Every structure is written in C-alpha cells, then in structure tokens.
Amino acid sequence: MTYNPDLLDRAKRHPEKQKNADRPMGKKPDWLRVRAPQGTVYKDTLDIVRGQKLTTVCEEAGCPNIGECWNKKHATFMIMGEVCTRACAFCNVATGKPEELDKYEPLRVGVAVEQMALKHVVITSVDRDDLDDCGADHFVKTIGAIRFKSPDTTVEILPGDFRGNIQSIDAVIGAKPDVFNHNLETVPRLYPTIRPGARYFRSLRLLQRVKDVDPSIFTKSGLMVGLGETKEEVAQVMDDMRAADIDFITIGQYLQPTPKHAPVEKFWTPEEFEGLERMARAKGFLMVSASPLTRSSHHAGEDFARLKAAREEKLAAKQATVQAAE
C-alpha cells in the first residue's frame, strides 16, 4: 500500500467519517477561487497565534478567507482545544475525545488580542458536550481576560448550543459580549444528516434567550447553502430568525473539506446570493452578508460598526415617528 499522509491525517481527524464512501468534490467555479495566503502581516499574525499557543478556526476549518483576514490582523480564536465532541457532516474540525481545559488559555487569548491591537475579536469553540456546563465558564473567563487586557476591543462570540442549558447560556450572556453569534448552519430538514448532534429549535431558542435577557446584545446567525436546501426553505429559516429577533444573518457557500464529508449539491451563483440578500433585507434584518465566500466571522469588525450604525438609524427613525404622532 502506498503511504499517503493526507489520508492518514484525515482518518485521524474524522474517524467517524471513514465508513462513508468518497463523494466527488467537483470543480469549484471561478467565483470561489482565492489567492494563497502570503505577506508580512500574514506571517506576523501567524507568529502571534503560534507564540501564544492558540488555535484559530481560520486554520482548523480551512477557511478560504484566511489570507485576506490575517493580512488585516483579523483572526477568529477557537478555544477549548482542537477536538470537537460532535461530528457534523460539513465540518473539518477534528472529532473525538477532547483533552482537559487549559486554564491559562483565556489569558493567552487576552494577551494575543492586546498584541494584535484588535478593535474587534471573534471567539468561537469546539463543542464540549463532555463538560457539565459545555464550556460556558471558559467563555466567561475568556471574555473577562479580553476586557482586562484590551478594554476597548469589542467582543463577538460564536459558541455551540450548550445543549440548551439555561444556566450556562445565562452565564455567558452575563459576561456581556457585544455580539452573540450562533449559527443555524442549514435548514431543519437537513439537520439529521448534516448536523445530527444539534437541534434546530434549540439553537433558535438560544438566540431568542439572548434577546430576552439582554436586548442590548447584538445577535447573529449564519447559513450555508449548497447542501440540498431549497430557496423556499431558506426563506422560512429567515422568517424563523426574525421571529427570534436576530439582528444579523450571514449566508455563504458550503465547500466540501474532504471526499468523506457531505457533498456539495449545488454551487449557488453570485446572482443568486444577491437575491438572497435582497430577500433577507426585505424581512427586516439590521445587517445582511450574503456571498459565495461569506463566513460568520468574515469582515466581523467592519460589520460590527455597520451593525451599530444600523441600530442607531432604526432607533432614530422610530423616535421620529413617535414624535410626529404626538
């Protein structure tokens, strides 16, 4: 047998997927081609990440925007290890039994944010269903460390669903992140095959809970398209998000990480993404980002500034309407 390190690495990262038959990955259309990472600033960002022994979802999930983001000193830190307890069919993060939490990780994240002089930072994590609180306290400590080391930095978090545990969710809300992001990922019909460890309405209730407890926190959620969903199903998810008072929706193209992952059923065209953006704006989201290369944390800093401006404009318009009525 010929030695193939890529196949061995894939088997180690995704042991639960090795029983799957290889699915053709197909050729990406021209609008999904990106330049390879390069440049001095990219290397500086890499050095800080390595120096603080941190993990980024940019690397772990194989994000196509890593070159652009790291050249702008934007990075999404992934806390609580590199191994996830769930096995979503779309995700390139390794699956298995995680190691114990690193109690010094929150401080190292705070130091890295300070060193990179970030105005806005995104913190995500693997799912830690092995922990009683699913990692909620680690999120709280990480937010606290960032506030301590870099108090002017705005903080966006992208956690899992905490298995719907209200105490864990409320603890993280109490740490007052500026943006609470939690992705629905796909339409409810596809959850059993694409996101089997999650529950669609549990994720919706989590985002609604954020608004119920602290309406000042912006909420955000994302969808991938290309997994076999219909436009009508996407429209229904948008309606469900608005019913949960979600402020910001992101929609991007699913890209198959390996032949063992869920196949791409369709590459949506840039024109179709423009149609989805128009639809979402018509439904009342404060912010919409929809394009083939859109990802949850792509342009997060710039988007946060626009999100604040959109809220202020909406509040001003509402106030003007009230005054006119008086």
Side-chain angles (χ1 to χ4, degrees):
M1 178 182 292
T2 304
Y3 172 70
N4 187 328
D6 291 338
L7 289 177
L8 291 176
D9 181 62
R10 183 197 311 162
K12 182 179 178 182
R13 288 175 64 87
H14 308 292
E16 80 293 344
K17 294 181 173 67
Q18 298 318 299
K19 65 181 182 299
N20 297 340
D22 283 0
R23 287 86 169 245
M25 296 183 66
K27 182 181 179 182
K28 294 178 185 175
D30 291 341
W31 60 79
L32 283 169
R33 300 186 185 281
V34 296
R35 296 179 63 182
Q38 56 185 322
T40 302
V41 180
Y42 173 89
K43 185 179 183 305
D44 290 344
T45 304
L46 178 63
D47 289 344
I48 291 172
V49 170
R50 293 286 184 271
Q52 294 299 329
K53 299 179 181 178
L54 298 173
T55 303
T56 69
V57 76
C58 321
E59 298 169 283
E60 291 299 308
C63 180
N65 302 311
I66 187 171
E68 176 191 353
C69 292
W70 281 29
N71 271 316
K72 294 180 179 178
K73 285 197 172 181
H74 294 175
T76 298
F77 296 107
M78 190 170 79
I79 60 175
M80 296 194 280
E82 303 176 8
V83 180
C84 186
T85 54
R86 298 189 188 177
C88 295
F90 63 86
C91 187
N92 198 38
V93 174
T95 301
K97 183 178 180 181
E99 296 181 355
E100 291 186 8
L101 291 180
D102 178 354
K103 65 180 180 180
Y104 298 109
E105 182 180 51
L107 181 58
R108 291 204 307 276
V109 171
V111 170
V113 170
E114 181 185 33
Q115 289 178 340
M116 295 170 71
L118 297 180
K119 293 182 180 180
H120 186 83
V121 63
V122 182
I123 307 296
T124 188
S125 74
V126 292
D127 280 300
R128 291 298 303 259
D129 294 331
D130 58 311
L131 303 174
D132 290 341
D133 69 348
C134 296
D137 184 61
H138 206 72
F139 261 102
V140 171
K141 289 175 179 175
T142 301
I143 295 169
I146 295 168
R147 301 286 192 214
F148 175 70
K149 297 298 294 183
S150 186
D152 294 330
T153 301
T154 49
V155 180
E156 178 173 333
I157 61 169
L158 179 54
D161 60 18
F162 301 109
R163 293 200 305 257
N165 184 291
I166 295 298
Q167 185 175 0
S168 294
I169 295 167
D170 286 357
V172 178
I173 296 170
K176 293 190 74 68
D178 296 280
V179 181
F180 199 120
N181 185 357
H182 175 71
N183 289 332
L184 295 184
E185 305 291 11
T186 190
V187 301
R189 175 177 60 85
L190 297 177
Y191 262 56
T193 54
I194 300 301
R195 204 176 176 218
R199 299 294 180 269
Y200 179 76
F201 286 104
R202 183 166 68 191
S203 287
L204 271 177
R205 285 195 296 271
L206 180 156
L207 289 158
Q208 180 65 66
R209 179 71 181 179
V210 177
K211 283 297 188 186
D212 289 344
V213 174
D214 190 343
S216 70
I217 297 176
F218 289 104
T219 50
K220 179 177 175 182
S221 190
L223 280 176
M224 299 173 293
V225 293
L227 287 161
E229 67 294 318
T230 66
K231 187 175 180 180
E232 291 74 21
E233 287 177 315
V234 173
Q236 182 60 60
V237 173
M238 290 181 187
D239 288 338
D240 292 343
M241 286 187 182
R242 289 304 301 132
D245 203 18
I246 292 169
D247 297 305
F248 186 179
I249 182 174
T250 60
I251 309 172
Q253 172 69 50
Y254 166 64
L255 298 176
Q256 185 180 353
T258 77
K260 296 294 185 182
H261 285 74
V264 175
E265 299 292 343
K266 172 185 174 179
F267 287 109
W268 288 57
T269 67
E271 292 75 22
E272 288 176 306
F273 275 100
E274 289 172 6
L276 292 176
E277 180 173 350
R278 287 193 298 271
M279 182 192 299
R281 291 192 184 283
K283 291 180 182 295
F285 289 94
L286 278 181
M287 276 282 296
V288 180
S289 180
S291 75
L293 288 172
T294 289
R295 297 295 182 267
S296 285
S297 53
H298 193 209
H299 297 156
E302 296 94 326
D303 286 342
F304 178 71
R306 296 189 189 101
L307 196 56
K308 285 204 304 181
R311 174 186 277 176
E312 290 166 4
E313 182 179 343
K314 183 177 180 180
L315 291 175
K318 184 181 293 186
Q319 186 176 7
T321 300
V322 171
Q323 290 174 344
E326 293 174 347

